Amino acid sequence: MQTTSHLLMIRPVNFGFNAETAVNNAFQSAGAGEQTQEKALAEFDIFVDELEKNGIDVTVVNDTQRPYTPDSIFPNNWISFHENGTVCLFPMYAPNRRHERKPGILEAISDKFNITRTIDFSHYEGEQVYLEGTGSMVLDREKMIAYACMSPRTHSKALSDFCEKMSYQPEAFESVDAKGQAIYHTNVMMCVADKFIVICLDSLPREKEKEKLITTMKNSGKKIISISFDQMNHFAGNMLQVKNSNGEKLLVMSTQAYESLTAGQLELLGSFNKIIHSSLTTIETNGGGSARCMMAEVFLPEK
């Protein structure tokens, strides 16, 4: 299955600009004004309400004050859940993000779902080798392809290990922004759904690599929908397709991303699935991540 109706989301208590991640996240900037946590919390609650109104099952876990985890709102970077009952834990670039791997979160998931094994890749942190979950990798779960743009957050060694242990084919490539800086996470420049792929093709500087990637995507049977640098900068690549309890497909994104798309793009995307969006401005500005980053898909067997 490419889509699930179950999501894990972490309700923030200390959300704010994280200087440890800002060094290589060009999407991130310190927002003006006060009450960043309060504004982010309001955005989070409205977003969860929108998902639940549309029939998505959201397991919300409240973050804790200690240890200090300003980016806990983005759980998909440190954990992933798979149909065969496997949980993967990932090595994180920023030291303060490593504290997000809190036991209470796995306990909350294990109350509802069956976990048969856990694969812990976090030992790579000791080698300064990182792979930040489904931020670093965009998974085609049906075709078993792990798309990954190389960056300080995404190392080929850990990618190869994940793919070997989880039986995925690695599809690694270079992706840069309009200034030539490496894009920190693959999931800000591409989204893989069941029948289409949204991708910023302009961000692929190596022509042969681009041609190979396009061939792989076409061979997967999915329609390629290209977005511009400007749309990518408005988080139009940071989408996630889910399904609700009735099996209806939904494409989830932020309001900023939605408003950056053309009428033609919206019509095309809407032909595949219903589109839902929510305003995440505070989270996007200070955290450098958007809707997809906030949702960790749970594919584990239900109890």
Side-chain angles (χ1 to χ4, degrees), residues 23 34 40 43 51 57 69 77 79 84 98 130 133 152 159 164 166 202 208 215 234-235 244-245 262:
V23 294
E34 302 295 326
E43 290 175 357
L51 291 167
D57 171 55
T69 48
N77 298 145
I79 194 166
N84 62 1
R98 299 167 194 174
Y130 311 110
L159 174 65
E164 183 179 339
M166 295 299 294
D202 292 341
K208 287 187 178 179
T215 298
H234 286 86
F235 293 102
N244 64 17
S245 53
T262 67

Side-chain angles (χ1 to χ4, degrees), residues 179-208:
K179 296 179 181 178
Q181 180 176 336
I183 291 174
Y184 81 108
H185 275 164
T186 313
N187 75 359
V188 298
M189 56 78 63
M190 77 181 297
C191 158
V192 174
D194 62 341
K195 293 180 177 160
F196 64 90
I197 294 175
V198 175
I199 185 169
C200 181
L201 293 173
D202 292 341
S203 74
L204 305 171
R206 299 180 179 179
E207 200 58 39
K208 287 187 178 179

Side-chain angles (χ1 to χ4, degrees), residues 91-158:
M92 304 294 290
Y93 173 86
N96 64 12
R97 292 214 63 189
R98 299 167 194 174
H99 299 307
E100 294 174 30
R101 298 187 293 255
K102 298 176 181 179
I105 297 171
L106 269 177
E107 289 169 8
I109 289 295
S110 63
D111 285 344
K112 295 171 64 174
F113 302 93
N114 287 310
I115 298 172
T116 55
R117 68 168 177 165
T118 300
I119 303 177
D120 190 350
F121 298 98
S122 65
H123 62 87
Y124 280 114
E125 289 164 355
E127 302 176 40
Q128 296 184 312
V129 166
Y130 311 110
L131 183 71
E132 297 193 333
T134 53
S136 286
M137 301 176 292
V138 174
L139 302 179
D140 185 331
R141 292 177 183 257
E142 293 176 332
K143 301 296 184 180
M144 302 301 285
I145 303 168
Y147 295 98
C149 65
M150 296 295 99
S151 79
R153 313 273 193 98
T154 305
H155 195 286
S156 58
K157 183 177 181 179

Side-chain angles (χ1 to χ4, degrees), residues 23-66:
V23 294
N24 52 30
N25 182 347
F27 292 79
Q28 183 182 350
S29 60
E34 302 295 326
Q35 299 179 311
T36 300
Q37 158 63 21
E38 289 80 1
K39 291 176 182 176
L41 185 60
E43 290 175 357
F44 177 91
D45 287 341
I46 292 169
F47 185 29
V48 170
D49 183 58
E50 183 67 21
L51 291 167
E52 292 180 335
K53 280 194 305 186
N54 279 277
I56 307 300
D57 171 55
V58 185
T59 300
V60 175
V61 178
N62 291 307
D63 193 19
T64 56
Q65 288 284 351
R66 295 288 179 269

